Amino acid sequence: MSLAPLSVVIKGTGSYKPENIQTNDDLAKKVDTSDEWIFTRTGIRERRIAADNEHASDMGAKAAEKALADAGMEAADIDIVIVATITPDMPFPSTACLVQTKLGIPNAMCMDIEAACSGFLYIMEVAASLIKTGRYRNALIIGSEKLSSILDWEDRTTCVLFGDGAGAAILSGSDEPEVGVIDFKLGADGANGEVLYMPGGGSANPATPASIDNRLHFLKMRGREVFKLAVKVMQQAAEEILEQNGLKSDQLACVIPHQANLRIIELLSSRLDIPMDRFYLNLENYGNTSAASIPIAMDEAFRVGRIKSGDLVLLVAFGAGLTWGAALVKCP
Ligand code: COA
């Protein structure tokens, strides 16, 4: 029997963004919109769009290679691969199995978990819990999305908000107590599922000529309702995780929110009484990349020195489901 570790730490991070940049002005040539409308309502200026032959597993594998290098590990060190995605390469096999093959990971437990934009926090909790059993050593967790493949490029109310990309992290057991992934507060409310969903492509509406004519294979959203719910559930998750750990918001060195909309984050900042300069933001450049949003932002925050040793960091997200989550991380 293996010994359970005292903590689970983030050993390395990596991210991958496709080369192709689509600006708001580019979008204005496709649908009736403008840079001014998009930027003032969302804070987004541009997003990345994956190439036709570049899928969730390709982007995930590229982010994972960087995370492995950052951790100083090799493929053979990994014994869990979990991918969070709503845009898997295909319904099965899992994107995690495809990533495993692309990286040459010899033997690992591999699975996808779908919790939309909260997905990375969900897989972080699952991977950390598995490592804490002592039966696994190192988990590769990846958020990867090719949202451009499920956007209705004729619907200006949705296609302007999202982008493609991938972020990855390596979680490992450690003998140092009270560091790393400290706590989680995850939740969901399925009754609010239809504010943001994709009706086609599953067993309820498999692909047929009618489902395609009715545009069921595209993301649908009731934006205003999502906006209000997002602020509410992220505030709640953040307050609950701080309270259950006896912490005050001014003890947080950095907050990494799901990068959906600057106005949502500004409202969250005022409700939590955490100044905006403590939030790490990159949505101006990438838009909302769903499950990839938090790991891309976290990777960048480490790289530009926004997160340092000893820092307490709050990750907070919401997404389709409706799902939400908060995680507290203390850097060793
Ligand atoms: N360009 C120009 N006009 C647009 C537009 C676009 N891309 N999208 C919508 N409009 C129009 C609407 O048609 C509407 O016109 P009308 O008043 O003539 O009917 C007007 O702009 C206002 O639309 P509304 O939906 O009320 O705007 P809003 O201020 O609520 O902003 C969102 C829309 C989508 C930016 C906002 O609701 C939002 O960000 N919601 C959260 C979405 C989100 O984060 N989703 C991801 C969850 S993980």
Short mmCIF file of all heavy atoms in Angstrom, two decimals, residues 239 249-250 267-275 278-279:
data_model
loop_
_atom_site.label_atom_id
_atom_site.label_comp_id
_atom_site.label_asym_id
_atom_site.label_seq_id
_atom_site.Cartn_x
_atom_site.Cartn_y
_atom_site.Cartn_z
N GLU A 239 -17.14 33.45 -1.41
CA GLU A 239 -17.38 33.76 0.01
C GLU A 239 -17.36 32.48 0.85
O GLU A 239 -16.80 32.46 1.94
CB GLU A 239 -18.71 34.50 0.17
CG GLU A 239 -18.59 35.94 -0.30
CD GLU A 239 -19.93 36.68 -0.31
OE1 GLU A 239 -20.99 36.07 -0.12
OE2 GLU A 239 -19.88 37.90 -0.54
N SER A 249 -10.83 38.24 2.42
CA SER A 249 -10.45 38.43 1.01
C SER A 249 -9.13 39.19 0.86
O SER A 249 -8.42 39.01 -0.12
CB SER A 249 -11.57 39.14 0.25
OG SER A 249 -11.83 40.39 0.83
N ASP A 250 -8.76 40.04 1.86
CA ASP A 250 -7.50 40.78 1.70
C ASP A 250 -6.27 39.89 1.89
O ASP A 250 -5.14 40.33 1.69
CB ASP A 250 -7.45 42.02 2.60
CG ASP A 250 -7.57 41.68 4.07
OD1 ASP A 250 -7.50 40.48 4.41
OD2 ASP A 250 -7.73 42.61 4.88
N LEU A 267 -18.07 43.36 -11.42
CA LEU A 267 -19.12 43.25 -10.39
C LEU A 267 -18.68 42.33 -9.25
O LEU A 267 -18.92 42.61 -8.07
CB LEU A 267 -20.40 42.71 -11.01
CG LEU A 267 -21.38 43.75 -11.53
CD1 LEU A 267 -22.50 43.07 -12.29
CD2 LEU A 267 -21.97 44.54 -10.35
N LEU A 268 -18.02 41.22 -9.62
CA LEU A 268 -17.52 40.28 -8.61
C LEU A 268 -16.51 40.99 -7.71
O LEU A 268 -16.53 40.84 -6.48
CB LEU A 268 -16.86 39.09 -9.33
CG LEU A 268 -16.42 37.93 -8.47
CD1 LEU A 268 -17.63 37.22 -7.86
CD2 LEU A 268 -15.59 36.92 -9.29
N SER A 269 -15.64 41.77 -8.32
CA SER A 269 -14.62 42.52 -7.57
C SER A 269 -15.28 43.44 -6.55
O SER A 269 -14.88 43.47 -5.37
CB SER A 269 -13.77 43.32 -8.56
OG SER A 269 -13.25 44.47 -8.00
N SER A 270 -16.33 44.14 -6.96
CA SER A 270 -16.94 45.08 -6.00
C SER A 270 -17.73 44.32 -4.93
O SER A 270 -17.69 44.69 -3.76
CB SER A 270 -17.77 46.13 -6.72
OG SER A 270 -19.01 45.61 -7.05
N ARG A 271 -18.38 43.22 -5.31
CA ARG A 271 -19.16 42.48 -4.30
C ARG A 271 -18.27 41.77 -3.28
O ARG A 271 -18.65 41.61 -2.12
CB ARG A 271 -20.07 41.47 -4.97
CG ARG A 271 -21.10 42.17 -5.84
CD ARG A 271 -22.39 41.44 -5.86
NE ARG A 271 -23.30 42.09 -6.76
CZ ARG A 271 -24.27 41.49 -7.39
NH1 ARG A 271 -24.45 40.19 -7.22
NH2 ARG A 271 -25.08 42.15 -8.19
N LEU A 272 -17.09 41.32 -3.74
CA LEU A 272 -16.18 40.63 -2.81
C LEU A 272 -15.25 41.62 -2.10
O LEU A 272 -14.47 41.24 -1.23
CB LEU A 272 -15.32 39.61 -3.56
CG LEU A 272 -16.04 38.39 -4.16
CD1 LEU A 272 -15.07 37.55 -4.98
CD2 LEU A 272 -16.67 37.53 -3.06
N ASP A 273 -15.32 42.89 -2.54
CA ASP A 273 -14.44 43.93 -2.01
C ASP A 273 -12.96 43.56 -2.20
O ASP A 273 -12.14 43.67 -1.29
CB ASP A 273 -14.76 44.17 -0.52
CG ASP A 273 -14.23 45.51 -0.06
OD1 ASP A 273 -13.95 46.36 -0.93
OD2 ASP A 273 -14.06 45.70 1.17
N ILE A 274 -12.66 43.07 -3.42
CA ILE A 274 -11.27 42.76 -3.79
C ILE A 274 -10.95 43.66 -4.98
O ILE A 274 -11.65 43.63 -6.00
CB ILE A 274 -11.12 41.28 -4.22
CG1 ILE A 274 -11.53 40.33 -3.10
CG2 ILE A 274 -9.68 40.99 -4.66
CD1 ILE A 274 -11.52 38.86 -3.49
N PRO A 275 -9.91 44.53 -4.84
CA PRO A 275 -9.64 45.46 -5.94
C PRO A 275 -9.33 44.76 -7.27
O PRO A 275 -8.78 43.66 -7.27
CB PRO A 275 -8.41 46.26 -5.46
CG PRO A 275 -7.96 45.63 -4.20
CD PRO A 275 -8.98 44.66 -3.73
N ARG A 278 -6.08 43.02 -8.28
CA ARG A 278 -5.70 41.69 -7.75
C ARG A 278 -6.23 40.55 -8.64
O ARG A 278 -5.92 39.38 -8.42
CB ARG A 278 -6.17 41.53 -6.32
CG ARG A 278 -4.94 41.21 -5.51
CD ARG A 278 -4.88 41.38 -4.07
NE ARG A 278 -5.57 42.44 -3.45
CZ ARG A 278 -6.32 42.25 -2.37
NH1 ARG A 278 -6.51 41.05 -1.88
NH2 ARG A 278 -6.86 43.29 -1.77
N PHE A 279 -7.06 40.90 -9.62
CA PHE A 279 -7.58 39.88 -10.54
C PHE A 279 -6.63 39.74 -11.73
O PHE A 279 -6.21 40.75 -12.29
CB PHE A 279 -8.96 40.28 -11.07
CG PHE A 279 -10.07 40.10 -10.07
CD1 PHE A 279 -10.20 40.95 -8.97
CD2 PHE A 279 -11.00 39.07 -10.23
CE1 PHE A 279 -11.21 40.78 -8.04
CE2 PHE A 279 -12.02 38.90 -9.30
CZ PHE A 279 -12.12 39.75 -8.21
#
